[in-house]
């Protein structure tokens, strides 16, 4: 951090896609109806899949443990509704592959009250108890990555956390989940922060919020419990401010080393919804059963923010919100980083922050891919300061080694800013994604070969 | 191969190497000297003819020439070849009277150095002839300085009279835009080859400025030569 | 629940899948190119107003030559024609704008062919060319026909709308008759006779010169339009013009006799058109901002050197071509520090 | 080489000539292994002196002479010269013949020697000559080396003429100094300038490439 | 005798009459090793180095031959002496600095028989440069050669990621670029003539 480092409250480069947040950011969170059948893949998170602990035909209560963690890098899964386990078999997933999962048929008229577990008190519990509690509650990052939160919160020996960052940025267009959570669940958030401060040992906490959610910032600032070392920091609107690395740069003025983790510069980043969930579940020892999802886009009638049980099939969701019959694209997550869905039989998972639906002709499809004209727009957009133009050409000519060795391919975190701005409509991110996996495979092969 | 054997083959090898090299060298030297000797007279003749032709071109009315070497302010007659010397060629008419001096000059042109020879009439104090010895100027443009009749006409009579104190040229030669020539010391430029024609003006200015005062100091020397 | 039957009715379409990001900014390469053409039109129209029919024919010829060549070469190499991306139109238009208004049409046509074939096609077409195609064409013409390309036409001649210059309609392969005059542009007037021209006249375009270089004001307006729309990298013209201004100002104040005023340098010759529309061709300029500043400074410095000490009165074209030749190096040498790495790209800790 | 294997008796003189190994030794240099267009050797003089047809021809003849003489000498001495000093001896031999040629040209015409300039002397380092010495003459009989030198020389002359004629034609409106176009022809000055040399050579190479490709298909 | 100023010799050899782009000298290495930046810079360095050495050799030889009156041995002695000297220098470098040898070594023997080297020797003799002028001329020619080579290498590396039409791939394209570079360098014509 030299003399010339003028810390500017944000990161370098980035893009400004149209936000489309007005359509849902005024709509309070509403409970979604229970679908008659929920489908629960065991792999809802990064890491090892959960392992079922119920039998086919078994009746379960809402909140009851359905599957236990499949290891340290894994979390348990709880029943989102009371009902009968119909089948334990392969279920469709978003990647298009089938994977093990549970079909749970809801009782038609049950009250759906929740089973309580062993409560954890933030004042008395130890660090380890809190981390265990977070794992037992089945909590993974709700910001989209679905990384098991307890793993992230475990500070490695010799490192310490200077700052806990609560990520309320929500830079994806259309999505307003975190915005509503911050407005409506401030108490849960602050309770969650207490657990997190204790778990990480951080001396203080900052909630980072983009300037387009000033109301949420004001609301949270007014609710900070006295004496709590928490502040709210408003940063300029820019995609991908919400990405961990960018947020750390914006709030701490530090850069996460290439290939490294945030803790190496003393930061831990947790999404607001994740925080709220921790604050809500741990005092009761419950497991996670539902999450807030923004449903938006020109293809749906009843846009809004809904509290939807995990496992609710996408098809059911779309029927309930009145999707247009000519829908042509459905994205899980936002349009910048989300995944396009090919099959409506998949279901809402813990990582689903939004569903954005487009009809035909809503999206301006690039008609034609032109050659790179070296306009530099991508270079000016890339938050990592890579040269996507050069990388794109190298990928086209399949010089993967050079991409990694000389042009820092592996530092690309696929934010999509470059593809977004490219006037020649070159599928840059797509190139980088496949190049990265090829490089990884080759490196692994090289390692295996000794 | 035993050590001894190896040594002997190596010895024969290097002896053989030496012998062949010397042999080839001798043949080559012979060939070269032979061709040099056979061509030399003709080459000298051609070169001399070419120079002679140039000198005759730039000094109208001359029939014989003498070559002088300019060393500082001194002139001395030379015969045969001299290297690295500044030469001045004097032209005489059939009565042995000095009609002009030919002087070589060079300067940077558009593409590369331009080398010229010009004739100077010390009686009229004028440049009376001009010939380009070497130039790489662009064909069709810059090479007009060799071919363009109206440009060459500049040098039939170009005023280079010395100043009162005889230490410099009164009006240094300058090139002006085509059609703008007003004074006797101006060179009428070539449209489309402004740069080359200016370069010619410049190199004449430099050469006359340096050489003519020196020659003036040796006026009597030439007079003496004329009488011979 | 009605179950499956309803579901099938509701969603008739099969879903499109694509990889993220699913949004695009919406400005396509063809849009950029088309806008450059719009931005050039005022300059072109002024040229027609100032020089009349000859200029109109010239611009049409060079543009048609470029577009036809582009189309023909694409077809010849069994590829779909690429003329719809408008880049060939820019090349043709710019080529025409850098030639004298009374330039023989057959030469302009030849220049168009050279621009596209030698300047663009041999490198692999749009985006791959190293040198600015229009300037490759012009440089070729200048070396091939140095006299015709330095023969000028008076501005606002009274019969400019009723007749074309004799030179314009020269038969192919033939030498143009000289009804224009040579060497009277402000730059050569300065270089050879030390006559300076009024800056106001230069800026407004009351002075003769190449077809498109006369009216600096319209060129700047076109540039601003593009810069505002983010279709042109404003760093390039600014760095070129600033370098020229500063260098000339230093020289001028050290010796006002010998060196022209900086204003004269900025508004004379092809500098404005070159800096705004030609050096900015993104294909031939460096991709990083730091690289672009160096590129601009280099071009500016070369323009000053060639104009003031070189043999030719004007050097913008050569300066830009040399800048183009250097830009791959600039891209290679100047790489922004990658996030989370040290200056030389190694990993940083802590 | 020889395609017709049957019925040798019926072969005419030309057929025999065409299929004889000696002819092939000569013919290969013309096109198949043309030193300029195929082997891309000796580019410097090719470009520098091909601005007119006459210069090209003169340069081609001079080079052929040097090539021929040094090939003869090297081939006849090939069993005498030890391996270690062969390059040095080749250089000596070549330099000798070049010096002779240089003097000969100076003796023929001042104009011509001015036009060819230092490029006559530079024949010494023309990659082509040393290349032929090393690749061919040092391994073959005198007779075959003569054929090889003549073939390569002719190929070189062909290339120089190809370039020289087109450059002179467009750049000067003439061929061998004889005007071919009407007076009002506009010369393409670029053709006699350095860039024109590069472009013209590129175009001829392209033509050769295209012919090769067509043949290959 | 030649009065040219050192500055003008330098500018002339680097920019105006660049050995490669205006005099067509060293075209083979220019075509051969301009594909990669790294080899190009090394080749440039090696050529400059050999140019300086051979320029000194030629200067000495010329004086010597003039003194003994055997100008006809000029060409043959230039080529032999230059080749021998470079060989010696090469051996010397190999002993003294293996690093430098690794960088330049492989190029040295190839370069000696290259026309740039001999041409420099001949040109400087023709122009009658004195010792210092020769040195500047050698350095400038080397710099000019390196400049052309490096510019070309940058462009060719850039074009490794392009798809030129098959028919121009390789030497043809390189020659065309050389032509365009030569065109661009024409902007320097007449530099210093006024
Ligand atoms: C391009 C990109 C943009 C992101 N934007 C956000 C964001 O706006 N909000 C957010 O909470 N996480 C965002 N993330 C995820 C964060 O990097 C980080 O994983 C998350 O804040 C950690 O919180 P969680 O584990 O509780 O989800 C983004 C990640 C990427 C790669
Ligand atoms: C390829 C080319 C070659 C040129 N060759 C010469 C030349 O040999 N001599 C010269 O004076 N100008 C030469 N010029 C310079 C231009 O003709 C220049 O514009 C002209 O000299 C300006 O003078 P003007 O005012 O008479 O037109 C050349 C220009 C080009 C493009
Ligand atoms: C963008 C642009 C670049 C130009 N570059 C050159 C150049 O490099 N050399 C040149 O002689 N003329 C160039 N021109 C044309 C000159 O501006 C024109 O020749 C100038 O007015 C000087 O004319 P002169 O050479 O007859 O004096 C260029 C024109 C434009 C519009
Ligand atoms: C700002 C801008 C300037 C341009 N300038 C030129 C130009 O000077 N010459 C040209 O041939 N094309 C120009 N183009 C068009 C295009 O980039 C050009 O045809 C490519 O060089 C062909 O690959 C320009 C385009 C833009 C957007
Ligand atoms: S996960 Fe997506 S929506 Fe959430 S903050 Fe990050 S980019 Fe924005
Ligand atoms: S996707 Fe990768 S290369 Fe593109 S902008 Fe994001 S980080 Fe940079
Ligand atoms: S944005 Fe697209 S066209 Fe522009 S430089 Fe990047 S890859 Fe090339
Ligand atoms: S080393 Fe020799 S063969 Fe190789 S490129 Fe250089 S000159 Fe040509
Ligand atoms: S390098 Fe000059 S002839 Fe080969």
């Amino acid at each position: 951090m030299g003399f010339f480092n003028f810390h500017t409250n944000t990161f370098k480069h980035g893009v400004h896609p149209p936000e489309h947040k007005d359509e849902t950011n005024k709509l309070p969170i509403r409970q979604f109806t229970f679908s008659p059948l929920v489908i629960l893949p065991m792999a809802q998170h990064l890491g090892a899949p959960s392992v079922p602990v119920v039998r086919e035909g078994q009746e379960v209560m809402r909140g009851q443990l359905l599957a236990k963690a499949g290891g340290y890098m894994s979390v348990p899964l709880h029943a989102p509704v009371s009902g009968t386990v119909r089948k334990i078999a392969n279920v469709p997933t978003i990647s298009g592959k089938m994977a093990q999962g549970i079909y749970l048929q809801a009782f038609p008229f049950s009250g759906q009250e929740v089973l309580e577990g062993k409560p954890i008190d933030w004042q008395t519990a130890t660090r380890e108890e809190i981390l265990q509690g977070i794992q037992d509650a089945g909590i993974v990052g709700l910001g989209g990555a679905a990384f098991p939160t307890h793993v992230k919160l475990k500070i490695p020996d010799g490192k310490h956390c200077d700052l806990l960052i609560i990520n309320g940025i929500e830079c994806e267009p259309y999505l307003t989940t975190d915005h509503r959570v911050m407005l409506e669940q401030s108490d849960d958030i602050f309770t969650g922060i207490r657990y997190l401060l204790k778990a990480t040992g951080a001396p203080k906490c900052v909630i980072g919020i983009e300037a387009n959610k000033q109301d949420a910032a004001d609301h949270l600032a007014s609710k900070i419990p006295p004496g709590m070392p928490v502040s709210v920091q408003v940063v300029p609107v820019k995609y991908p401010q919400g990405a961990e690395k960018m947020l750390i740069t914006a709030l701490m003025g530090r850069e996460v080393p290439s290939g490294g983790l945030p803790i190496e510069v003393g930061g831990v980043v947790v999404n607001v919804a994740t925080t709220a969930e921790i604050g809500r579940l741990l005092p009761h020892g419950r497991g996670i059963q539902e999450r807030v999802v923004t449903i938006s886009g020109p293809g749906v009638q009843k846009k809004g923010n809904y509290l939807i049980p995990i496992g609710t099939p996408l098809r059911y969701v779309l029927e309930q919100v009145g999707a247009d019959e000519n829908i042509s694209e459905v994205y899980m997550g936002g349009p910048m980083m989300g995944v396009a869905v090919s099959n409506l039989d998949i279901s809402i998972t813990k990582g689903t922050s939004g569903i954005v639906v487009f009809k035909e002709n809503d999206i301006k499809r690039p008609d034609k891919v032109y050659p790179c004209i070296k306009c530099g727009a991508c270079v000016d957009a890339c938050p990592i300061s890579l040269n996507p133009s050069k990388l794109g050409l190298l990928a086209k000519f399949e010089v993967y080694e050079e991409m990694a060795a000389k042009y820092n391919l592996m530092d690309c975190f696929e934010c999509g800013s470059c593809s977004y701005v490219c006037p020649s409509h070159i599928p840059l991110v797509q190139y980088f994604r496949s190049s990265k996996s090829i490089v990884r495979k080759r490196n692994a092969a090289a390692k295996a070969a000794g | 191969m035993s050590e001894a054997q190896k040594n002997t083959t190596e010895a024969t090898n290097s002896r053989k190497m030496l012998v062949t090299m010397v042999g080839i060298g001798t043949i080559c030297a012979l060939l070269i000297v032979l061709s040099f000797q056979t061509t030399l007279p003709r080459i000298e003749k051609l070169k001399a003819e070419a120079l002679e032709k140039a000198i005759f071109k730039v000094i109208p009315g001359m029939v014989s020439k003498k070559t002088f070497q300019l060393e500082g302010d001194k002139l001395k007659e030379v015969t045969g070849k001299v290297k690295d010397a500044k030469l001045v060629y004097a032209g005489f008419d059939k009565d042995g009277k000095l009609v002009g001096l030919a002087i070589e000059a060079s300067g940077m042109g558009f593409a590369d150095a331009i080398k010229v020879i010009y004739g100077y009439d010390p009686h009229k104090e004028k440049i009376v002839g001009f010939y380009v010895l070497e130039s790489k100027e662009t064909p069709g443009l810059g090479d007009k300085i060799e071919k363009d009749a109206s440009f060459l006409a500049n040098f039939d009579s170009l005023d280079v009279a010395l100043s009162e104190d005889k230490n410099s040229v009164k009006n240094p030669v300058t090139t002006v835009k085509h059609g703008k020539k007003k004074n006797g010391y101006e060179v009428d430029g070539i449209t489309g080859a402004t740069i080359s024609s200016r370069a010619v003006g410049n190199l004449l200015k430099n050469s006359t400025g340096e050489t003519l005062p020196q020659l003036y100091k040796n006026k009597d020397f030439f007079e003496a030569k004329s009488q011979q | 629940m009605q179950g499956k039957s309803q579901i099938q009715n509701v969603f008739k379409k099969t879903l499109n899948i694509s990889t993220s990001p699913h949004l695009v900014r919406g400005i396509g390469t063809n849009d950029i190119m088309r806008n450059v053409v719009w931005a050039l039109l005022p300059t072109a129209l002024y040229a027609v107003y100032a020089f009349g029919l000859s200029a109109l024919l010239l611009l049409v010829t060079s543009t048609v030559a470029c577009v036809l060549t582009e189309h023909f070469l694409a077809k010849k190499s069994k590829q779909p024609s690429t003329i719809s991306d408008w880049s060939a139109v820019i090349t043709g238009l710019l080529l025409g704008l850098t030639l004298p208004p009374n330039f023989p049409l057959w030469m302009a046509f030849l220049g168009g062919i050279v621009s596209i074939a030698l300047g663009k096609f041999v490198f692999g077409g749009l985006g791959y060319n190293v040198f600015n195609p229009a300037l490759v064409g012009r440089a070729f013409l200048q070396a091939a026909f140095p006299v015709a390309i330095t023969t000028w036409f008076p501005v606002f001649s009274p019969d400019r709308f009723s007749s074309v210059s004799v030179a314009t309609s020269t038969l192919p392969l033939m030498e143009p008759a000289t009804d224009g005059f040579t060497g009277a542009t402000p730059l050569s007037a300065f270089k050879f006779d030390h006559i300076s021209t009024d800056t106001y006249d230069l800026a407004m375009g009351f002075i003769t010169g190449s077809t498109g270089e006369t009216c600096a004001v319209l060129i700047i307006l076109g540039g601003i339009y593009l810069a505002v729309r983010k279709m042109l990298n404003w760093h390039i013209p600014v760095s070129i013009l600033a370098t020229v201004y500063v260098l000339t100002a230093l020289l001028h104040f050290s010796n006002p006799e010998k060196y022209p005023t900086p204003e004269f340098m900025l508004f004379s010759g092809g500098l404005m058109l070159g800096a705004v529309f030609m050096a900015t061709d993104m294909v031939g300029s460096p991709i990083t901002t730091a690289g672009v500043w160096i590129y601009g400074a280099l071009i500016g410095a070369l323009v000053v050197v060639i104009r003031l000490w070189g043999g030719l009165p004007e050097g913008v074209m050569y300066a830009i071509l040399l800048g183009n030749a250097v830009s791959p190096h600039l891209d290679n040498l100047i790489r922004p520090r990658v996030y989370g790495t040290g200056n030389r790209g190694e990993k940083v800790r802590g | 080489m020889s395609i017709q294997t049957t019925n040798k008796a019926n072969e005419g003189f030309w057929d025999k000539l065409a299929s004889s190994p000696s002819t092939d030794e000569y013919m290969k240099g013309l096109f198949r292994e043309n030193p300029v267009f195929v082997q891309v050797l000796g580019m410097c003089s090719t470009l520098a002196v091909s601005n007119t047809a006459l210069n090209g021809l003169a340069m081609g003849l001079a080079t052929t002479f040097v090539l021929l003489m040094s090939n003869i000498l090297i081939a006849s001495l090939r069993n005498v010269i030890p391996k270690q000093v062969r390059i040095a001896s080749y250089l000596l031999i070549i330099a000798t013949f070049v010096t002779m040629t240089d003097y000969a040209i100076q003796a023929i015409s001042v104009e011509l020697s001015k036009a060819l300039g230092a490029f006559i002397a530079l024949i010494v380092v023309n990659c082509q000559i040393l290349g032929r010495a090393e690749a061919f003459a040092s391994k073959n009989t005198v007779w075959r080396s003569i054929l090889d030198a003549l073939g390569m020389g002719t190929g070189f002359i062909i290339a120089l003429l190809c370039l020289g004629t087109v450059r002179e034609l467009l750049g000067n409106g003439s061929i061998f100094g004889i005007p071919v176009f009407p007076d009002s022809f506009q010369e393409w000055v670029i053709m006699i300038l350095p860039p024109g040399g590069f472009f013209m050579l590129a175009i001829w190479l392209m033509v050769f490439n295209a012919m090769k490709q067509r043949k290959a298909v | 005798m030649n009065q040219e100023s050192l500055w003008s010799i330098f500018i002339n050899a680097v920019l105006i009459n660049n050995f490669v782009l205006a005099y067509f000298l060293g075209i083979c290495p220019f075509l051969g090793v301009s594909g990669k930046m790294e080899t190009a810079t090394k080749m440039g360095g090696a050529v400059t180095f050999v140019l300086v050495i051979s320029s000194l050799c030629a200067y000495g030889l010329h004086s010597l031959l003039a003194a003994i009156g055997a100008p006809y041995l000029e060409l043959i002695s230039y080529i032999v002496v230059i080749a021998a000297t470079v060989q010696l220098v090469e051996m010397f470098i190999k002993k003294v600095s293996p690093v430098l040898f690794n960088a330049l070594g492989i190029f040295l023997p190839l370069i000696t028989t290259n026309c740039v080297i001999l041409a420099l020797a001949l040109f400087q003799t023709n122009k009658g440069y004195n010792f210092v002028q020769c040195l500047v001329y050698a350095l400038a020619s080397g710099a000019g050669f390196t400049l052309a080579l490096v510019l070309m290498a940058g462009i060719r590396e850039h074009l490794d990621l392009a798809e030129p039409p098959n028919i121009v791939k390789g030497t043809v394209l390189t020659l065309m670029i050389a032509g365009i570079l030569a065109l661009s360098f024409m902007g320097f014509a007449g530099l210093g003539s006024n």
Side-chain angles (χ1 to χ4, degrees), chain A residues 93-117:
Chain A
T93 64
I94 189 151
S95 70
K97 291 199 199 91
M98 302 291 276
Q100 192 190 33
I102 294 176
Y103 290 89
L104 183 63
Q105 187 165 30
F107 296 140
F109 304 107
S110 87
Q112 301 294 6
E113 58 283 331
V114 186
L115 201 65
E116 301 253 338

Side-chain angles (χ1 to χ4, degrees), chain A residues 249 257 264 315 319 374 424, chain C residues 7 22 29 127 339 348-349:
Chain A
T249 306
E264 292 178 40
R315 195 180 291 278
E319 281 165 16
K374 322 258 177 340
S424 286
Chain C
I7 294 167
H22 309 286
T29 293
Y339 180 97
V348 291
R349 284 287 147 204

Side-chain angles (χ1 to χ4, degrees), chain C residues 51-274:
Chain C
F51 296 109
L53 281 178
S54 309
L56 179 67
L57 287 174
L58 175 71
L59 293 176
V60 170
T61 307
S62 61
T63 310
V64 167
C66 284
V67 173
L68 281 184
T69 310
E70 174 105 354
H71 181 78
F72 177 77
L73 287 176
K75 285 285 162 240
K76 189 92 187 141
S77 49
K78 305 205 168 54
Q79 241 125 51
S81 173
T82 42
I83 54 174
S84 61
D85 64 26
W86 289 79
S87 68
V89 178
I90 302 182
T91 304
L93 209 49
L94 278 170
L95 173 66
L97 288 172
T98 58
L99 297 171
N102 53 338
F103 200 60
L105 296 182
W106 75 265
M107 293 184 187
F109 198 90
L110 177 70
I113 297 175
V114 171
S115 290
I116 295 294
L118 180 65
K120 186 170 170 187
F121 177 75
V122 298
F123 293 96
L126 178 68
Y128 294 110
N129 52 300
V130 174
F131 299 94
N132 186 322
L135 290 181
V136 169
R138 191 187 194 281
F140 183 94
L141 291 176
Q142 174 144 356
F145 313 116
V147 174
I149 213 168
T150 46
T151 305
W152 307 96
F153 195 64
V155 68
F156 302 133
S157 94
D159 58 352
R160 63 189 188 278
F161 295 117
S162 54
S163 68
V164 297
S165 149
V166 187
T168 297
S169 50
T170 310
L171 288 177
L173 296 187
M174 293 301 139
E175 196 172 352
T178 42
D179 66 339
F181 54 93
T182 55
T185 63
L187 274 173
S188 44
F190 182 84
K191 176 149 216 138
F192 300 122
D193 302 305
H194 275 259
I195 302 168
S196 220
T197 311
D198 185 50
T199 310
Y200 177 78
D201 289 349
L202 285 174
M204 299 311 293
F206 301 149
I207 295 292
T208 188
S210 294
T211 310
E213 74 185 22
T214 53
C215 185
V217 171
L218 288 176
I219 297 172
I220 295 174
L221 286 179
I224 291 176
Y225 166 79
L226 288 177
V228 165
R229 303 209 58 190
K230 295 222 159 53
M231 294 172 171
L232 176 146
N233 189 346
W234 60 268
H235 298 277
I236 297 177
V238 168
S239 56
I240 295 176
L241 298 176
T243 309
V244 170
Y245 191 91
V246 170
L247 287 181
T248 321
L250 287 175
L251 289 167
H252 178 69
F253 291 116
S254 72
N255 186 352
E257 281 294 295
K258 184 151 183 243
Y259 299 112
T261 62
E263 293 78 26
F264 173 79
M265 279 288 268
L266 283 194
F267 291 107
S268 58
L271 182 60
M272 207 46 88
L273 186 66

Side-chain angles (χ1 to χ4, degrees), chain D residues 23-67:
Chain D
T23 315
D24 186 71
E25 213 66 82
Y26 175 74
M27 293 299 285
K28 71 173 191 291
L30 303 196
F31 296 102
R32 186 155 41 84
E33 289 177 28
N34 186 292
V36 173
F37 293 139
V38 179
Q39 304 181 52
V40 198
L41 286 175
M43 289 310 192
C44 302
S45 34
T46 309
L47 287 164
V49 297
S50 60
N51 50 359
T52 68
L54 187 64
N55 288 352
L57 182 64
M59 183 71 185
L61 287 173
T63 310
T64 309
F65 171 74
V66 175
L67 193 53

Side-chain angles (χ1 to χ4, degrees), chain A residues 133-306:
Chain A
I134 289 175
Q135 183 178 18
D136 290 346
I139 290 172
V140 296
L142 301 186
F147 187 78
T149 304
H150 65 279
V151 179
K152 181 159 71 180
L153 294 178
K154 176 94 179 102
I155 311 294
D157 292 340
K159 298 266 187 311
H160 54 88
C161 175
D162 303 335
L163 185 66
L164 169 68
I165 295 173
I166 304 301
N167 188 346
I169 298 295
E170 196 156 56
C171 53
E172 273 275 4
Y174 288 100
L175 305 194
T176 54
T177 313
D178 293 345
H179 190 177
R180 292 314 304 177
V181 166
M182 287 189 285
L183 283 173
E184 298 178 32
Q185 304 176 356
S186 52
D187 294 341
D188 293 337
I189 292 175
F190 287 113
T191 314
I193 291 175
R194 289 187 199 281
Y195 284 101
L196 291 172
L197 282 174
K198 190 144 193 192
T200 56
K204 55 187 197 283
C205 167
V206 173
I207 306 176
I209 299 175
E210 274 192 351
N212 57 1
K213 295 181 271 291
Q214 191 63 46
D215 53 344
D218 296 342
H219 177 72
L220 283 185
S222 70
K223 290 282 191 165
I224 298 177
M228 207 173 160
V230 179
S231 58
V232 174
Q233 173 84 260
V234 178
V235 296
V237 181
K238 198 158 75 168
Y239 178 87
Q241 189 103 251
E244 215 163 51
K245 289 180 171 183
M246 302 304 114
L247 189 55
I248 284 176
T249 306
L251 297 181
M252 303 176 76
R254 299 182 190 169
E255 285 187 7
V256 181
S258 156
L261 295 170
I263 191 62
E264 292 178 40
V265 290
V268 166
V269 181
V270 183
N271 172 258
V272 273
T274 317
T275 312
E277 209 64 34
I278 292 172
R280 191 160 49 243
L281 297 178
L282 263 59
H284 302 282
R286 289 183 193 156
I288 187 167
Q289 307 114 30
E290 52 196 2
R291 66 156 299 150
V292 182
V293 178
T294 300
I295 299 181
S296 186
V300 289
Q301 278 134 30
K302 290 182 243 160
K303 297 175 187 150
N305 291 294
Y306 297 96

